[in-house]
Amino acid sequence: RMPASVPEADTRHRASAAFSLSFLSLVFSITAFSSSYWCAGTRKVAKPFCTGESKGDLCIRFNSPEGNNSQAVQYIWETGDDKFVERKFHAGIWYSCEEMINEDGEKCRSFISLTPASDRGVLWLSIVAELLYVVLLLIGNMLMSVEMCYYSSVIDGLKINAFSAVVTVLAGLLGMVAHMMYTTVFQMTVNLGPEDWRPHTWDYGWSYCLAWTSFACCMAAAVTTINKYTKTILEFKHKRKKLERSLKIQYRFPDY
């Protein structure tokens, strides 16, 4: 009895591992898809004129006692580093936000409106692929949870297992394509986007890393599910061969 229970326990452990990886992938993908930190960096913008009681180094002061000093004015307008200030920004699939100068909060714009017209079709394909990626991950999670609670028929469990493996692999492929398309669109927007948005320095943010981590978890869940299906099939074939051998022995040497 003990050897017979070991494969069943191992199968349940594999099913639990696949479900956990798939669930993590779903959570990571939803978090990344809804956030705006796929890319982050700084923009170099001209300092505004100081108004009212504005103080600090983030605006140009002409109302100071030295405002009429020709040397001060010449230094302000001829020195590029003193004329500009770096403003932090972050962008995602849906919108791009940048910090306000001398004010609290952020100013956000739709990232779709910033994308060059020639690349908006690719961006929409990326969005559709991301949505399908999330939907397929959700379907895969539901199938894996049903399989974990389904004990009446091993054959039906194998069918659900095979279907969940196909769905998870398809989700992973869609996620990979969606992430790569967004990367291409963002780089094109950096080069050809509006002048008042183009970043001075930028790099990929935590949402981008989370999206690829979701893809890695999805593929790990798919591999675990396929491995579980293959191992179960091999165990069935092994048991069938043992049964056939025992039947042949009983047929040749019947008990009297």
Side-chain angles (χ1 to χ4, degrees), residues 115-129:
T115 307
S118 59
D119 295 316
R120 287 180 186 171
V122 180
L123 180 60
W124 279 112
L125 285 175
S126 174
I127 292 174
V128 171

Side-chain angles (χ1 to χ4, degrees), residues 40-247:
T42 59
R43 289 188 59 242
K44 203 170 186 179
V45 297
K47 292 181 179 179
F49 295 111
C50 295
T51 57
E53 298 180 355
S54 299
K55 297 180 180 180
D57 298 328
L58 299 180
C59 61
I60 301 176
R61 296 184 296 275
F62 278 103
N63 296 328
S64 62
E66 298 182 355
N68 295 324
N69 190 329
S70 60
Q71 293 182 352
V73 174
Q74 185 177 4
Y75 176 77
I76 288 172
W77 287 103
E78 289 185 359
T79 306
D81 292 337
D82 190 71
K83 181 182 175 183
F84 293 93
V85 63
E86 289 188 346
R87 180 188 297 181
K88 294 181 180 179
F89 86 99
H90 54 90
I93 293 178
W94 297 106
Y95 50 89
S96 173
C97 299
E98 59 186 48
E99 64 180 355
M100 305 287 288
I101 299 179
N102 292 325
E103 294 182 18
D104 295 331
E106 295 179 330
K107 178 183 178 182
C108 296
R109 290 182 285 180
S110 170
F111 183 74
I112 299 174
S113 64
L114 300 173
T115 307
S118 59
D119 295 316
R120 287 180 186 171
V122 180
L123 180 60
W124 279 112
L125 285 175
S126 174
I127 292 174
V128 171
E130 286 285 353
L131 287 172
L132 289 175
Y133 174 54
V134 173
V135 170
L136 289 176
L137 280 176
L138 181 60
I139 294 174
N141 271 267
M142 293 173 61
L143 290 171
M144 291 179 186
S145 61
V146 169
E147 181 194 356
M148 290 174 62
C149 303
Y150 201 89
Y151 300 113
S152 61
S153 174
V154 179
I155 301 299
D156 290 341
L158 276 175
K159 292 179 181 178
I160 296 174
N161 182 254
F163 191 54
S164 62
V166 172
V167 169
T168 308
V169 170
L170 183 59
L173 293 176
L174 279 173
M176 179 183 67
V177 172
H179 303 343
M180 293 177 66
M181 284 194 296
Y182 176 79
T183 303
T184 303
V185 170
F186 185 84
Q187 291 176 352
M188 294 299 295
T189 306
V190 169
N191 296 326
L192 303 175
E195 290 286 346
D196 63 344
W197 178 85
R198 293 183 190 178
H200 180 62
T201 60
W202 66 275
D203 201 352
Y204 296 110
W206 63 266
S207 296
Y208 187 81
C209 297
L210 198 65
W212 282 107
T213 303
S214 170
F215 165 75
C217 290
C218 175
M219 297 310 295
V223 170
T224 305
T225 305
I226 294 172
N227 182 266
K228 174 179 173 292
Y229 177 82
T230 306
K231 188 173 181 180
T232 306
I233 292 295
L234 292 176
E235 287 176 356
F236 267 117
K237 289 183 178 180
H238 180 67
K239 290 180 179 179
R240 187 179 65 179
K241 288 182 179 180
K242 289 180 64 177
L243 181 61
E244 289 177 352
R245 289 176 183 175
S246 63
L247 289 175

